[in-house]
Amino acid sequence: MAEAVEGREISVTQTEWTSVLQALVSIVGSDGVVTALTHRLVYQWDGNTVFGGLPQAVILPQDADQVEQVIRLLSDHGIPWLARGSGTGLSGGAVATQGEVIVDLARLRGPVRIDAVGPFARVAPGVTNLELNRAAAARGYFYAPDPSSQVACTIGGNIAENSGGSHCLKYGVTVNHLLGLKVVTASGQRLSLGGAAPDLPGYDLTGFFVGSEGTLGVVTEATVHLVKQPQAMRTVLALFDAPEQASQTVSDVIAAGMLPAAMEMMDRLAMDGVERGPYRVGYPPQTGAVLLIEVDGIDAGLQEQAERIVAIAQHNGVQEVRVAQDERERALWWQNRKTAFGAMGNLSPNYYVQDGVIPRSRLPKVLQQIEAIGHEFGLRIANVFHAGDGNLHPLILFDDRQKGQRERAIQAGSAILRICVEEGGSITGEHGVGIEKREEMRWMYSDEELAFQGELRRAWDPQGLANPGKVLPT
Amino acid sequence: MLPAQIYDALVDIVGSAYLRTEASQLVPYSFDATPLFQHLPDAVVFPGSTDEIARILRLCAQTNTKIVPRGNGSGLSGGAVPIEGGIVLEMNRLNQLDEIDTANLTATFGPGLVTSQLSRAVEAQGLFYPPDPGSVVISSLGGNVAECAGGMRGLKYGVTKDYVLGLEAVLPNGEVIRTGGKNTKDVAGYDLNKLLIGSEGTLAVITEITVKLLPKPAAKQTAMALFDTLSQAAAAVAAIIAGRILPATLEFLDQPTLTVVEAYTHAGLPTDVAALLLIEQDGAAIVVKEEMERIAVICRQQGAREVRLARDAQEGEAIMNARRATLPALSRLRPTTILEDATVPRAQLATMVERINAIAAHYGVMISTFGHAGDGNLHPTALTDARNPEEIEAVEQAFDEIFRTALQLGGTITGEHGVGLAKAAYMEARFGKAAIEVMKGIKRAFDPQGILNPGKMFAAQTPRRVVVNRDS
């Protein structure tokens, strides 16, 4: 069980705090201000589970006007705060490590408004990724960035982290699909950025805001680009002896001029986990690595593409290739892959996931290095990743009841990130820096560069109250 | 004129061969491809490395000297014009192609490399760099990044910002920073790439660029659809997109434009139509064939008089080159050609073109319209004479009304050519004060002294177009 960090006391007097709470009640209503300890405990962690913290209060505004008033009030009193969606983030970005007030956006919801001519959708930040996708699907579209947590994660959170997902190899990440944003900045200003028409003048504030991890302001509405649903899809499962052959297949597919919609890989240990769960696919015991490849587009072209991919896999010694026969089978394979993180619970009482990026060509080498790190720290590591864009998710298994294992898991994660940076990659592809990787930022940026990023942050948040203690090292 | 010691310091950094100070040598650097904006610099310097650029910027910071980076001067919004004098930093010596990484699909190069040079080099390796501004044989990639250049393939493939993975840049105080890298996914820290792309040379000087590449499409087919009315052509555009097809290129030309382009290029463009759609699709051969057939059907359903497929790649290329030559072709008609840039939602295309024609008639000015129909990005182009102040005044008024019309229709004042000098006053109308304040805060963080490309992006009032501006 992770230790709850009590958090620093906010530096306002009790009297002032009481009057702030009263003012908050008059903005959002009494059921929008949560102070009871048992309720605040629910907000201690996000999906990271290592870093915990207790917020002083949780506020639930219902619309953009209330968000603005809440932020202005907290700013006037110098009270630090942070915004939270569903709390599924994996870098501790929505955890109140300094006793911040949490502004929970769960009530900024409402129907997704789709403009089929655009095509685009206007969506409130509290809407989940899957809800947006379902609304788009009803009109023959989809929203491309599809993090595996999509059943729960919110669009606001996706924007804060610049989320990716399995299909971003072909379709790009959140920022590539964002046309416009309405935000309340950390200094309480309402901004309307971008819009429905492609908009390029001025500095790309939208592009800069995406991925800023809640440190610049709060999203109150997003206009996102939708993609037409492809006419058809082919989904292929390729089973290999070992990850090296699977990696080589990934490289060869791209070298052959094809860019599939998705190319996901799991190693033996990851497969063991998912096969014990409810979405069993049936991987033979001798399979060391599986590739899930999906191509989409005009039906006429897909058969040829799928055949070329199968030929490449065979050239690399594939054991077996399966092509999904129907939507039910395709859905099962995806469920199997997308529930991988949670499925680690079938193998171990605890797990810790990292999010490194490497150039695709380094995949086989880095996988071997990750294995060596597992041995070094005496922990099992399962590998699940977006093979097409070199984004790794090593799942480090540990038992918190065993003394020292948690610490070793964190150290192993950091060692893996070190390798990623050495190979020309990044410390995070989609989960964000949050609290977790602040110090590792020094591996990527010089002190001057970090100081400069801090200056840019202050242009939006002069008082330093928006999610302080995240992203930049102290 | 700058103090003598600044000229001495510049010679020290780049060598006397790479410094220009004589008035006659400065004139070519006093304007770019934007008509009617001109101002002499006090010096032009040609650095050969990032280190030299860092030293030059440090010198400027120490002496509070203005400095304007320049690529090949093909920009259309006055971005490279040194309106407050100072030093022009000509970047074209940094034109090396450092690397094409075929395993990871990236290319790394200097900002002075010309776009078509990069395209040819990557295509020779079976790869593809999609952004293709019309100026592709002239414009530098550094300029493309500074303006977030678009191009004819923007609808299907996106624009420059969708391809830039990493940059090296020098801040106005001489500090060198790196943003991003070679990774297609990277969320470590704030995305400075996004700030620098499209910053029009006002935040930092870009000294190295890494872009992502795509595999080269196997096949390509070009076609022309001929229409008797503007609204039919616009309706066809909407119908193609609604039909879930994303062509690589979907360009629009009106009759006056076609007449002029055909006279210049003899590419075989029809001149007896009200509007022409130029369509190109690429991808797997079987996909291209099927989609072009569907496009032809859609065009005919919307009333196209005829749909002509190019017989081969050469004919297709000739047609596309004719489109790229539209601006040079138009510029032959009158002494002054003013190409503007306004974008409206696709559904408003026909309305916008009709309003442009009505506005031109009302003010008695000649305006031809062509553009990237798929994106709703139009280039109303005025053909006029800068020596006639009354006519220029009428042109100014016409464009003013055209821009306001675009905003009214839910559009924006620039699709791809940037704000520069020409549209700075419209920024507040489009964004509102609060957003402009945030942008100014960012500008101050990068450039507290305001020495880098001053007077661009944010303006106190509408700049007047004058023939030549020079400090006495």
Side-chain angles (χ1 to χ4, degrees):
Chain A
M1 175 87 168
E3 287 162 20
V5 173
E6 190 48 45
R8 276 181 251 147
E9 288 297 311
I10 298 175
S11 58
V12 293
T13 63
Q14 190 55 49
T15 324
E16 192 178 350
W17 179 237
T18 308
S19 81
V20 166
L21 287 176
Q22 279 168 358
L24 287 167
V25 166
S26 62
I27 297 170
V28 300
S30 55
D31 68 341
V33 179
V34 173
T35 52
L37 176 63
T38 47
H39 294 169
R40 286 187 287 133
L41 283 171
V42 171
Y43 290 87
Q44 273 186 106
W45 293 282
D46 63 13
N48 180 277
T49 74
V50 169
F51 304 97
L54 207 54
Q56 289 295 336
V58 180
I59 314 300
L60 293 99
Q62 292 160 314
D63 57 38
D65 286 338
Q66 289 182 9
V67 170
E68 181 189 349
Q69 289 170 57
V70 166
I71 288 176
R72 282 182 184 272
L73 177 71
L74 295 174
S75 300
D76 286 345
H77 292 269
I79 295 172
W81 57 273
L82 65 93
R84 181 173 169 116
S86 294
T88 57
L90 291 162
S91 54
V95 174
T97 55
Q98 300 179 14
E100 296 91 323
V101 167
I102 287 183
V103 180
D104 184 340
L105 301 185
R107 291 183 178 165
L108 265 80
R109 294 175 48 74
V112 175
R113 286 165 293 155
I114 294 187
D115 180 322
V117 178
F120 58 81
R122 277 192 232 278
V123 56
V127 171
T128 68
N129 183 294
L130 192 59
E131 280 177 275
L132 171 56
N133 261 295
R134 289 212 174 113
R139 307 284 291 272
Y141 294 99
F142 71 104
Y143 174 63
D146 62 338
S148 301
S149 54
Q150 66 188 152
V151 65
C153 64
T154 62
I155 294 301
N158 288 175
I159 291 168
E161 302 295 333
N162 194 11
S163 301
S166 308
H167 286 81
C168 58
L169 173 63
K170 176 174 175 179
Y171 289 104
V173 295
T174 297
V175 72
N176 302 121
H177 296 272
L178 205 55
L179 293 174
L181 280 181
K182 291 197 162 96
V183 306
V184 179
T185 68
S187 46
Q189 296 289 327
R190 299 280 282 266
L191 300 185
S192 191
L193 306 173
D199 194 39
L200 296 169
Y203 302 137
D204 187 359
L205 298 184
T206 307
F208 188 66
F209 193 96
V210 178
S212 61
E213 305 194 26
T215 61
L216 306 182
V218 177
V219 174
T220 57
E221 186 187 275
T223 303
V224 300
H225 176 249
L226 297 177
V227 183
K228 57 167 177 156
Q229 277 176 338
Q231 191 185 71
M233 284 183 218
R234 293 277 194 286
T235 310
V236 170
L237 210 54
L239 309 172
F240 295 88
D241 292 333
E244 291 72 27
Q245 296 154 321
S247 309
Q248 193 56 51
T249 302
V250 169
S251 294
D252 291 348
V253 165
I254 292 175
M258 290 182 278
L259 213 55
M263 282 200 283
E264 302 282 292
M265 202 190 301
M266 288 195 284
D267 69 2
R268 183 71 247 169
L269 190 54
M271 281 186 270
D272 286 343
V274 292
E275 290 293 278
R276 291 183 207 190
Y279 302 106
R280 211 175 159 273
V281 161
Y283 302 118
Q286 67 271 24
T287 301
V290 61
L291 261 189
L292 177 58
I293 302 176
E294 190 159 89
V295 290
D296 65 18
I298 299 286
D299 195 44
L302 290 184
Q303 192 50 39
E304 186 204 27
Q305 252 194 48
E307 281 165 9
R308 286 173 72 202
I309 289 171
V310 169
I312 289 170
Q314 284 165 344
H315 179 76
N316 283 293
V318 72
Q319 291 169 352
E320 184 192 340
V321 174
R322 302 179 195 172
V323 179
Q325 294 304 304
D326 51 35
E327 178 53 31
R328 192 204 53 82
E329 193 170 20
R330 173 187 174 267
L332 172 66
W333 293 355
W334 275 111
Q335 290 283 46
N336 180 278
R337 156 65 188 92
K338 287 195 171 186
T339 55
F341 287 16
M344 292 303 103
N346 293 320
L347 299 177
S348 172
N350 304 88
Y351 80 91
Y352 178 60
V353 64
Q354 262 305 347
D355 174 44
V357 181
I358 50 165
R360 198 186 322 109
S361 53
R362 307 277 204 277
L363 212 47
K365 177 181 176 198
V366 171
L367 286 176
Q368 282 169 0
Q369 286 171 301
I370 290 174
E371 202 184 329
I373 286 171
H375 290 313
E376 184 190 332
F377 288 88
L379 298 170
R380 291 174 299 164
I381 302 179
N383 288 288
V384 171
F385 47 96
H386 312 298
D389 43 42
N391 189 193
L392 310 171
H393 293 312
L395 296 150
I396 304 162
L397 308 183
F398 69 98
D399 184 344
D400 215 9
R401 300 164 299 186
Q402 305 289 333
K403 187 176 160 59
Q405 282 209 5
R406 160 184 292 272
E407 287 71 26
R408 293 213 306 276
I410 294 169
Q411 282 161 14
S414 193
I416 291 170
L417 292 184
R418 182 101 230 180
I419 291 168
C420 292
V421 173
E422 278 164 16
E423 295 294 332
S426 172
I427 56 174
T428 173
E430 53 188 6
H431 295 170
V433 175
I435 183 128
E436 189 194 39
K437 300 185 271 281
R438 287 182 312 164
E439 289 308 313
E440 281 83 350
M441 284 279 278
R442 296 190 194 283
W443 297 344
M444 307 225 9
Y445 300 107
S446 67
D447 288 343
E448 290 78 22
E449 284 167 333
L450 290 169
F452 186 60
Q453 289 193 33
E455 274 184 65
L456 294 173
R457 180 173 174 172
R458 272 190 293 284
W460 297 71
D461 180 20
Q463 291 177 262
L465 297 175
N467 214 1
K470 307 287 169 56
V471 185
L472 295 177
T474 45
Chain B
M1 286 294 293
L2 299 172
Q5 57 264 37
I6 294 183
Y7 294 115
D8 292 339
L10 289 173
V11 168
D12 215 40
I13 298 169
V14 299
S16 54
Y18 292 114
L19 174 67
R20 304 276 183 280
T21 55
E22 299 297 315
S24 59
Q25 296 170 322
L26 300 178
V27 168
Y29 299 91
S30 66
F31 57 94
D32 62 14
T34 317
L36 309 180
F37 288 113
Q38 188 171 14
H39 195 289
L40 283 173
D42 295 296
V44 181
V45 67
F46 299 76
S49 67
T50 302
D51 183 61
E52 285 180 11
I53 291 166
R55 290 169 65 192
I56 292 167
L57 285 171
R58 262 201 300 283
L59 171 70
C60 289
Q62 280 159 6
T63 58
N64 214 36
T65 305
K66 313 272 201 265
I67 181 160
V68 179
R70 180 183 176 99
N72 288 328
S74 58
L76 290 161
S77 56
V81 179
I83 55 162
E84 296 189 18
I87 299 169
V88 165
L89 188 70
E90 174 52 73
M91 301 293 291
N92 59 17
R93 285 176 68 205
L94 273 80
N95 62 352
Q96 74 288 1
L97 175 52
D98 290 312
E99 177 191 76
I100 298 176
D101 183 342
T102 52
N104 293 301
L105 301 190
T106 65
T108 301
F109 45 85
L113 187 66
V114 170
T115 315
S116 61
Q117 288 170 339
L118 175 68
S119 299
R120 271 199 302 273
V122 304
E123 285 178 23
Q125 309 240 18
L127 297 170
F128 180 41
Y129 176 68
D132 65 336
S135 57
V136 74
V137 296
I138 310 157
S139 55
S140 69
L141 284 149
N144 286 181
V145 172
E147 300 293 338
C148 190
M152 296 192 289
R153 290 195 281 245
L155 175 64
K156 177 174 180 180
Y157 286 107
V159 297
T160 300
K161 80 172 169 189
D162 300 310
Y163 292 86
V164 175
L165 296 178
L167 296 171
E168 176 193 78
V170 186
L171 297 180
N173 64 6
E175 212 178 290
V176 180
I177 60 169
R178 296 204 75 102
T179 69
K182 284 176 78 168
N183 307 298
T184 52
K185 286 169 77 174
D186 186 350
V187 294
Y190 296 97
D191 194 346
L192 267 66
N193 270 342
K194 295 289 185 297
L195 279 188
L196 290 176
I197 300 165
S199 62
E200 307 190 20
T202 61
L203 296 181
V205 177
I206 293 160
T207 51
E208 187 190 85
I209 302 163
T210 298
V211 297
K212 83 172 187 196
L213 304 171
L214 298 179
K216 188 170 158 185
K220 189 158 75 167
Q221 174 70 57
T222 310
M224 295 189 275
L226 289 64
F227 292 91
D228 292 316
T229 73
L230 282 173
S231 39
Q232 283 171 334
V237 169
I240 289 167
I241 309 292
R244 314 299 173 91
I245 301 172
L246 224 49
T249 292
L250 187 53
E251 294 288 302
F252 164 87
L253 294 96
D254 69 4
Q255 185 170 33
T257 310
L258 280 166
T259 311
V260 173
V261 173
E262 181 58 19
Y264 177 54
T265 63
H266 306 292
L269 300 176
T271 55
D272 59 340
V273 291
L276 187 75
L277 285 184
L278 276 184
I279 306 158
E280 199 166 75
Q281 184 54 298
D282 60 13
I286 197 169
V287 172
V288 170
K289 182 165 184 298
E290 182 171 310
E291 289 206 314
M292 286 305 273
E293 274 166 17
R294 286 174 56 206
I295 287 171
V297 165
I298 291 171
C299 286
R300 286 190 207 105
Q301 278 169 351
Q302 296 302 324
R305 186 206 295 177
E306 190 189 336
V307 179
R308 278 183 215 168
L309 294 178
R311 279 162 305 187
D312 52 34
Q314 260 158 307
E315 192 182 338
E317 201 51 32
I319 292 168
M320 282 303 153
N321 281 336
R323 161 59 188 88
R324 287 186 188 107
T326 303
L327 180 58
L330 289 171
S331 70
R332 300 165 83 218
L333 291 184
R334 303 281 315 279
T336 307
T337 309
I338 305 179
L339 179 147
E340 281 296 354
D341 186 19
T343 299
V344 292
R346 213 179 295 117
Q348 304 291 355
L349 217 51
T351 308
M352 186 68 201
V353 176
E354 278 155 14
R355 298 258 185 104
I356 289 170
N357 292 342
I359 290 168
H362 175 74
Y363 287 97
V365 297
M366 242 169 114
I367 296 184
S368 271
T369 302
F370 61 99
H372 314 303
D375 306 314
N377 182 203
L378 294 173
H379 297 316
T381 304
L383 308 173
T384 180
D385 189 339
R387 298 166 298 187
N388 183 336
E390 278 142 19
E391 197 177 328
I392 291 295
E393 182 68 29
V395 166
E396 288 272 335
Q397 288 175 337
F399 275 131
D400 189 72
E401 210 173 307
I402 287 170
F403 290 141
R404 291 191 192 282
T405 303
L407 292 178
Q408 267 164 29
L409 293 176
T412 182
I413 57 167
T414 169
E416 57 187 359
H417 295 154
V419 179
L421 187 54
K423 299 201 192 90
Y426 296 96
M427 288 281 281
E428 197 170 308
R430 180 63 181 82
F431 291 110
K433 273 200 160 62
I436 299 292
E437 282 313 306
V438 173
M439 290 191 208
K440 286 183 174 171
I442 288 168
K443 166 70 173 174
R444 273 193 301 272
F446 275 86
D447 182 20
Q449 292 172 243
I451 57 171
L452 191 63
N453 211 3
K456 307 292 170 64
M457 279 256 199
F458 315 107
Q461 66 230 21
T462 314
R464 294 192 56 75
R465 294 174 185 270
V466 295
V467 177
V468 174
N469 242 330
R470 96 182 67 220
D471 292 336
S472 49

